[in-house]
Short mmCIF file of all heavy atoms in Angstrom, two decimals:
data_model
loop_
_atom_site.label_atom_id
_atom_site.label_comp_id
_atom_site.label_asym_id
_atom_site.label_seq_id
_atom_site.Cartn_x
_atom_site.Cartn_y
_atom_site.Cartn_z
N ARG A 98 -9.91 -3.26 -20.66
CA ARG A 98 -9.57 -2.03 -20.19
C ARG A 98 -10.45 -1.66 -19.01
O ARG A 98 -10.11 -0.65 -18.35
CB ARG A 98 -9.91 -0.97 -21.30
CG ARG A 98 -8.93 -1.02 -22.50
CD ARG A 98 -9.29 -0.06 -23.42
NE ARG A 98 -9.05 1.24 -22.92
CZ ARG A 98 -7.80 1.98 -23.24
NH1 ARG A 98 -7.03 1.51 -24.12
NH2 ARG A 98 -7.68 3.21 -22.63
N LYS A 99 -11.42 -2.47 -18.71
CA LYS A 99 -12.43 -2.09 -17.58
C LYS A 99 -11.68 -2.32 -16.23
O LYS A 99 -11.01 -3.38 -16.05
CB LYS A 99 -13.65 -2.84 -17.56
CG LYS A 99 -14.70 -2.61 -16.62
CD LYS A 99 -15.95 -3.37 -16.81
CE LYS A 99 -16.99 -3.01 -15.90
NZ LYS A 99 -18.24 -3.72 -16.00
N GLU A 100 -11.83 -1.41 -15.30
CA GLU A 100 -11.40 -1.59 -14.06
C GLU A 100 -12.56 -1.89 -13.04
O GLU A 100 -13.63 -1.41 -13.04
CB GLU A 100 -10.59 -0.21 -13.52
CG GLU A 100 -9.46 -0.05 -14.22
CD GLU A 100 -8.59 1.14 -13.69
OE1 GLU A 100 -9.15 2.19 -13.72
OE2 GLU A 100 -7.40 0.86 -13.32
N PHE A 101 -12.15 -2.93 -12.17
CA PHE A 101 -13.28 -3.19 -11.19
C PHE A 101 -12.69 -2.88 -9.75
O PHE A 101 -11.55 -2.79 -9.47
CB PHE A 101 -13.38 -4.83 -11.14
CG PHE A 101 -13.86 -5.35 -12.51
CD1 PHE A 101 -12.84 -5.60 -13.53
CD2 PHE A 101 -15.14 -5.55 -12.72
CE1 PHE A 101 -13.31 -6.02 -14.68
CE2 PHE A 101 -15.58 -6.08 -14.04
CZ PHE A 101 -14.62 -6.36 -14.98
N THR A 102 -13.68 -2.53 -8.92
CA THR A 102 -13.42 -2.09 -7.56
C THR A 102 -13.95 -3.06 -6.60
O THR A 102 -15.14 -3.55 -6.67
CB THR A 102 -13.89 -0.69 -7.31
OG1 THR A 102 -13.41 0.22 -8.27
CG2 THR A 102 -13.55 -0.19 -5.87
N HIS A 103 -13.17 -3.43 -5.67
CA HIS A 103 -13.70 -4.10 -4.38
C HIS A 103 -13.23 -3.49 -3.13
O HIS A 103 -12.16 -2.80 -3.21
CB HIS A 103 -13.34 -5.61 -4.42
CG HIS A 103 -11.95 -5.94 -4.06
ND1 HIS A 103 -11.04 -6.27 -5.18
CD2 HIS A 103 -11.32 -6.13 -3.01
CE1 HIS A 103 -9.88 -6.50 -4.53
NE2 HIS A 103 -9.99 -6.44 -3.22
N ILE A 104 -14.05 -3.74 -2.09
CA ILE A 104 -13.62 -3.10 -0.80
C ILE A 104 -13.49 -4.21 0.26
O ILE A 104 -14.24 -5.11 0.41
CB ILE A 104 -14.87 -2.20 -0.31
CG1 ILE A 104 -15.11 -1.08 -1.35
CG2 ILE A 104 -14.51 -1.56 1.04
CD1 ILE A 104 -16.32 -0.30 -0.97
N ALA A 105 -12.31 -4.23 0.85
CA ALA A 105 -11.97 -5.28 1.88
C ALA A 105 -11.19 -4.83 2.91
O ALA A 105 -10.43 -3.79 2.78
CB ALA A 105 -11.27 -6.38 1.08
N VAL A 106 -11.39 -5.36 4.17
CA VAL A 106 -10.35 -5.14 5.19
C VAL A 106 -9.27 -6.27 5.04
O VAL A 106 -9.51 -7.33 5.04
CB VAL A 106 -11.17 -5.28 6.61
CG1 VAL A 106 -10.25 -5.03 7.70
CG2 VAL A 106 -12.28 -4.31 6.66
N GLN A 107 -8.04 -5.73 5.02
CA GLN A 107 -6.96 -6.60 4.44
C GLN A 107 -5.71 -6.45 5.27
O GLN A 107 -5.36 -5.21 5.34
CB GLN A 107 -6.80 -6.49 2.95
CG GLN A 107 -5.81 -7.54 2.34
CD GLN A 107 -6.06 -7.56 0.93
OE1 GLN A 107 -7.10 -7.17 0.29
NE2 GLN A 107 -5.04 -8.22 0.15
N LEU A 108 -5.17 -7.50 5.77
CA LEU A 108 -3.90 -7.55 6.44
C LEU A 108 -2.85 -8.01 5.38
O LEU A 108 -3.02 -9.11 4.81
CB LEU A 108 -3.79 -8.50 7.61
CG LEU A 108 -4.67 -7.95 8.79
CD1 LEU A 108 -4.92 -9.27 9.65
CD2 LEU A 108 -3.97 -6.96 9.60
N ALA A 109 -1.76 -7.23 5.19
CA ALA A 109 -0.68 -7.74 4.32
C ALA A 109 0.26 -8.56 5.16
O ALA A 109 0.15 -8.66 6.38
CB ALA A 109 0.11 -6.51 3.80
N ASP A 110 1.16 -9.28 4.44
CA ASP A 110 2.03 -10.12 5.14
C ASP A 110 2.89 -9.49 6.30
O ASP A 110 3.08 -10.16 7.42
CB ASP A 110 2.96 -10.75 4.13
CG ASP A 110 3.86 -11.89 4.85
OD1 ASP A 110 3.48 -13.00 4.86
OD2 ASP A 110 5.06 -11.58 5.25
N ASP A 111 3.37 -8.27 6.13
CA ASP A 111 4.14 -7.62 7.04
C ASP A 111 3.30 -7.22 8.31
O ASP A 111 3.90 -6.83 9.31
CB ASP A 111 4.85 -6.41 6.48
CG ASP A 111 3.87 -5.24 6.17
OD1 ASP A 111 2.84 -5.63 5.56
OD2 ASP A 111 4.18 -4.10 6.43
N GLN A 112 2.00 -7.34 8.25
CA GLN A 112 1.10 -7.07 9.40
C GLN A 112 0.67 -8.27 10.31
O GLN A 112 -0.01 -8.09 11.15
CB GLN A 112 -0.10 -6.35 8.91
CG GLN A 112 0.10 -4.96 8.21
CD GLN A 112 -1.18 -4.38 7.65
OE1 GLN A 112 -1.66 -4.89 6.68
NE2 GLN A 112 -1.58 -3.23 8.19
N ILE A 113 1.26 -9.41 9.81
CA ILE A 113 0.90 -10.68 10.51
C ILE A 113 2.11 -11.13 11.28
O ILE A 113 3.06 -11.61 10.69
CB ILE A 113 0.32 -11.67 9.51
CG1 ILE A 113 -0.79 -11.12 8.68
CG2 ILE A 113 -0.07 -13.09 10.22
CD1 ILE A 113 -1.25 -12.10 7.54
N PRO A 114 2.10 -11.12 12.54
CA PRO A 114 3.34 -11.53 13.39
C PRO A 114 3.67 -12.93 13.17
O PRO A 114 2.93 -13.81 12.91
CB PRO A 114 2.85 -11.20 14.81
CG PRO A 114 1.68 -10.34 14.69
CD PRO A 114 1.08 -10.63 13.45
N GLY A 115 4.99 -13.16 13.22
CA GLY A 115 5.66 -14.47 13.00
C GLY A 115 5.23 -15.53 13.99
O GLY A 115 5.24 -16.63 13.57
N GLU A 116 4.90 -14.99 15.19
CA GLU A 116 4.45 -16.00 16.21
C GLU A 116 3.06 -16.50 16.02
O GLU A 116 2.66 -17.47 16.86
CB GLU A 116 4.68 -15.46 17.63
CG GLU A 116 3.75 -14.22 18.00
CD GLU A 116 4.45 -12.92 17.60
OE1 GLU A 116 5.33 -12.84 16.77
OE2 GLU A 116 3.87 -11.88 18.09
N THR A 117 2.33 -16.02 15.23
CA THR A 117 0.84 -16.50 15.00
C THR A 117 0.85 -17.79 14.32
O THR A 117 1.78 -18.13 13.59
CB THR A 117 0.11 -15.44 14.20
OG1 THR A 117 0.72 -15.27 12.93
CG2 THR A 117 0.01 -14.10 14.84
N GLY A 118 -0.09 -18.59 14.65
CA GLY A 118 -0.28 -19.70 13.98
C GLY A 118 -0.59 -19.66 12.55
O GLY A 118 -0.10 -20.58 11.72
N LEU A 119 -1.15 -18.54 12.07
CA LEU A 119 -1.44 -18.23 10.65
C LEU A 119 -0.06 -18.12 9.93
O LEU A 119 0.10 -18.80 8.88
CB LEU A 119 -2.10 -16.94 10.55
CG LEU A 119 -3.73 -16.94 10.84
CD1 LEU A 119 -4.21 -15.56 11.02
CD2 LEU A 119 -4.38 -17.70 9.75
N LYS A 120 0.85 -17.38 10.43
CA LYS A 120 2.04 -17.19 9.77
C LYS A 120 3.05 -18.56 9.79
O LYS A 120 3.57 -18.90 8.84
CB LYS A 120 2.97 -16.09 10.47
CG LYS A 120 4.29 -15.72 9.78
CD LYS A 120 4.23 -15.33 8.39
CE LYS A 120 3.72 -13.95 8.16
NZ LYS A 120 4.53 -12.86 8.71
N GLN A 121 2.90 -19.18 10.91
CA GLN A 121 3.60 -20.40 11.04
C GLN A 121 3.18 -21.66 10.10
O GLN A 121 3.92 -22.33 9.55
CB GLN A 121 3.73 -20.91 12.55
CG GLN A 121 4.48 -20.04 13.50
CD GLN A 121 4.31 -20.41 14.91
OE1 GLN A 121 3.94 -21.54 15.24
NE2 GLN A 121 4.60 -19.42 15.75
N LEU A 122 1.71 -21.58 9.91
CA LEU A 122 1.25 -22.59 9.10
C LEU A 122 1.65 -22.31 7.60
O LEU A 122 2.03 -23.16 6.90
CB LEU A 122 -0.37 -22.55 9.17
CG LEU A 122 -0.96 -23.60 8.24
CD1 LEU A 122 -0.67 -25.00 8.60
CD2 LEU A 122 -2.63 -23.42 8.33
N TYR A 123 1.60 -20.96 7.23
CA TYR A 123 2.03 -20.70 5.96
C TYR A 123 3.57 -21.12 5.69
O TYR A 123 3.89 -21.42 4.62
CB TYR A 123 1.88 -19.22 5.65
CG TYR A 123 2.44 -18.66 4.35
CD1 TYR A 123 1.99 -19.16 3.14
CD2 TYR A 123 3.42 -17.67 4.30
CE1 TYR A 123 2.58 -18.80 1.96
CE2 TYR A 123 3.93 -17.21 3.10
CZ TYR A 123 3.51 -17.71 1.91
OH TYR A 123 4.02 -17.33 0.74
N GLN A 124 4.36 -20.89 6.75
CA GLN A 124 5.76 -21.13 6.63
C GLN A 124 6.17 -22.69 6.87
O GLN A 124 7.33 -23.06 6.85
CB GLN A 124 6.60 -20.28 7.56
CG GLN A 124 6.58 -18.76 7.20
CD GLN A 124 7.19 -17.92 8.30
OE1 GLN A 124 7.44 -18.43 9.48
NE2 GLN A 124 7.54 -16.79 7.98
N SER A 125 5.17 -23.44 7.01
CA SER A 125 5.32 -24.89 7.23
C SER A 125 5.88 -25.56 6.03
O SER A 125 5.40 -25.50 4.77
CB SER A 125 3.93 -25.57 7.52
OG SER A 125 3.89 -26.97 7.25
N GLU A 126 7.00 -26.35 6.17
CA GLU A 126 7.61 -27.05 5.04
C GLU A 126 6.76 -28.17 4.66
O GLU A 126 6.70 -28.54 3.44
CB GLU A 126 8.94 -27.57 5.53
CG GLU A 126 10.08 -26.49 5.78
CD GLU A 126 10.40 -25.64 4.61
OE1 GLU A 126 10.08 -26.15 3.38
OE2 GLU A 126 11.07 -24.60 4.66
N ILE A 127 6.00 -28.82 5.59
CA ILE A 127 5.13 -29.85 5.23
C ILE A 127 3.98 -29.31 4.20
O ILE A 127 3.64 -30.00 3.27
CB ILE A 127 4.54 -30.50 6.42
CG1 ILE A 127 5.58 -31.29 7.27
CG2 ILE A 127 3.35 -31.39 6.12
CD1 ILE A 127 5.08 -31.84 8.55
N LEU A 128 3.42 -28.16 4.57
CA LEU A 128 2.34 -27.62 3.84
C LEU A 128 2.83 -27.22 2.47
O LEU A 128 2.32 -27.50 1.47
CB LEU A 128 1.66 -26.50 4.58
CG LEU A 128 0.50 -25.87 3.78
CD1 LEU A 128 -0.71 -26.83 3.94
CD2 LEU A 128 0.07 -24.61 4.53
N THR A 129 4.04 -26.49 2.38
CA THR A 129 4.54 -26.09 1.17
C THR A 129 4.97 -27.39 0.27
O THR A 129 4.54 -27.32 -1.03
CB THR A 129 5.93 -25.44 1.39
OG1 THR A 129 5.57 -24.23 2.10
CG2 THR A 129 6.43 -24.85 0.02
N GLU A 130 5.36 -28.44 0.85
CA GLU A 130 5.71 -29.61 0.00
C GLU A 130 4.37 -30.27 -0.48
O GLU A 130 4.32 -30.71 -1.61
CB GLU A 130 6.47 -30.58 0.82
CG GLU A 130 6.86 -31.91 0.07
CD GLU A 130 7.82 -31.86 -0.95
OE1 GLU A 130 8.33 -30.66 -1.17
OE2 GLU A 130 8.27 -32.85 -1.50
N PHE A 131 3.38 -30.29 0.26
CA PHE A 131 2.02 -30.76 -0.14
C PHE A 131 1.62 -29.94 -1.35
O PHE A 131 0.99 -30.49 -2.30
CB PHE A 131 1.06 -30.72 1.03
CG PHE A 131 -0.29 -31.04 0.62
CD1 PHE A 131 -0.66 -32.25 0.09
CD2 PHE A 131 -1.36 -30.12 0.87
CE1 PHE A 131 -1.95 -32.64 -0.30
CE2 PHE A 131 -2.65 -30.36 0.46
CZ PHE A 131 -3.01 -31.63 -0.15
N VAL A 132 1.53 -28.66 -1.12
CA VAL A 132 1.07 -27.79 -2.35
C VAL A 132 1.87 -28.04 -3.66
O VAL A 132 1.36 -28.07 -4.71
CB VAL A 132 1.11 -26.31 -1.94
CG1 VAL A 132 0.75 -25.38 -3.06
CG2 VAL A 132 0.19 -26.02 -0.76
N ARG A 133 3.24 -28.23 -3.42
CA ARG A 133 4.21 -28.50 -4.61
C ARG A 133 3.68 -29.73 -5.29
O ARG A 133 3.58 -29.77 -6.54
CB ARG A 133 5.59 -28.48 -4.14
CG ARG A 133 6.56 -28.83 -5.21
CD ARG A 133 7.95 -29.16 -4.79
NE ARG A 133 8.15 -30.46 -4.18
CZ ARG A 133 8.19 -31.46 -4.88
NH1 ARG A 133 8.28 -31.42 -6.31
NH2 ARG A 133 8.39 -32.66 -4.39
N ARG A 134 3.40 -30.71 -4.48
CA ARG A 134 3.20 -32.04 -5.07
C ARG A 134 1.83 -32.13 -5.65
O ARG A 134 1.66 -32.86 -6.78
CB ARG A 134 3.46 -33.05 -4.09
CG ARG A 134 4.98 -33.18 -3.66
CD ARG A 134 5.24 -34.45 -2.73
NE ARG A 134 5.14 -35.64 -3.48
CZ ARG A 134 5.45 -36.87 -3.04
NH1 ARG A 134 5.97 -36.91 -1.74
NH2 ARG A 134 5.30 -37.98 -3.61
N VAL A 135 0.79 -31.51 -5.05
CA VAL A 135 -0.51 -31.39 -5.70
C VAL A 135 -0.36 -30.63 -7.09
O VAL A 135 -1.03 -31.18 -8.00
CB VAL A 135 -1.52 -30.78 -4.83
CG1 VAL A 135 -2.76 -30.53 -5.53
CG2 VAL A 135 -1.85 -31.59 -3.59
N GLN A 136 0.33 -29.54 -7.13
CA GLN A 136 0.46 -28.88 -8.37
C GLN A 136 1.48 -29.49 -9.38
O GLN A 136 1.69 -28.88 -10.45
CB GLN A 136 0.94 -27.39 -7.95
CG GLN A 136 -0.04 -26.62 -7.10
CD GLN A 136 -1.07 -25.94 -7.86
OE1 GLN A 136 -1.32 -26.25 -9.07
NE2 GLN A 136 -1.69 -24.99 -7.18
N LYS A 137 2.23 -30.62 -8.80
CA LYS A 137 3.09 -31.26 -9.75
C LYS A 137 4.23 -30.37 -10.36
O LYS A 137 4.59 -30.40 -11.41
CB LYS A 137 2.38 -31.94 -10.93
CG LYS A 137 1.47 -33.09 -10.51
CD LYS A 137 0.96 -33.79 -11.69
CE LYS A 137 -0.03 -34.95 -11.31
NZ LYS A 137 -0.63 -35.61 -12.60
N LYS A 138 4.70 -29.57 -9.36
CA LYS A 138 6.03 -28.61 -9.63
C LYS A 138 7.19 -29.34 -9.21
O LYS A 138 7.25 -30.02 -8.24
CB LYS A 138 5.80 -27.35 -8.83
CG LYS A 138 4.56 -26.63 -9.17
CD LYS A 138 4.49 -26.08 -10.75
CE LYS A 138 3.27 -25.33 -10.94
NZ LYS A 138 3.17 -24.90 -12.40
N ASP A 139 8.22 -29.11 -10.08
CA ASP A 139 9.53 -29.55 -9.68
C ASP A 139 10.06 -28.97 -8.45
O ASP A 139 10.85 -29.52 -7.69
CB ASP A 139 10.61 -29.43 -10.80
CG ASP A 139 10.14 -30.27 -11.98
OD1 ASP A 139 9.62 -31.47 -11.86
OD2 ASP A 139 10.55 -30.00 -13.17
N GLN A 140 9.73 -27.59 -8.34
CA GLN A 140 10.12 -26.94 -7.13
C GLN A 140 9.08 -25.81 -6.97
O GLN A 140 8.42 -25.35 -7.90
CB GLN A 140 11.51 -26.25 -7.36
CG GLN A 140 11.60 -25.40 -8.63
CD GLN A 140 12.94 -24.80 -8.84
OE1 GLN A 140 13.93 -25.44 -8.29
NE2 GLN A 140 13.09 -23.70 -9.69
#
Side-chain angles (χ1 to χ4, degrees):
R98 293 185 66 101
K99 185 175 181 180
E100 291 187 303
F101 299 86
T102 301
H103 74 260
I104 301 172
V106 179
Q107 187 159 340
L108 292 160
D110 186 87
D111 67 319
Q112 296 173 293
I113 304 172
E116 65 270 17
T117 60
L119 284 165
K120 181 64 71 71
Q121 292 172 19
L122 181 62
Y123 175 58
Q124 293 175 343
S125 160
E126 294 294 346
I127 289 174
L128 188 67
T129 302
E130 179 70 356
F131 170 61
V132 174
R133 180 189 75 82
R134 294 186 68 173
V135 171
Q136 299 272 18
K137 295 185 176 180
K138 300 296 184 184
D139 291 335
Q140 56 189 19

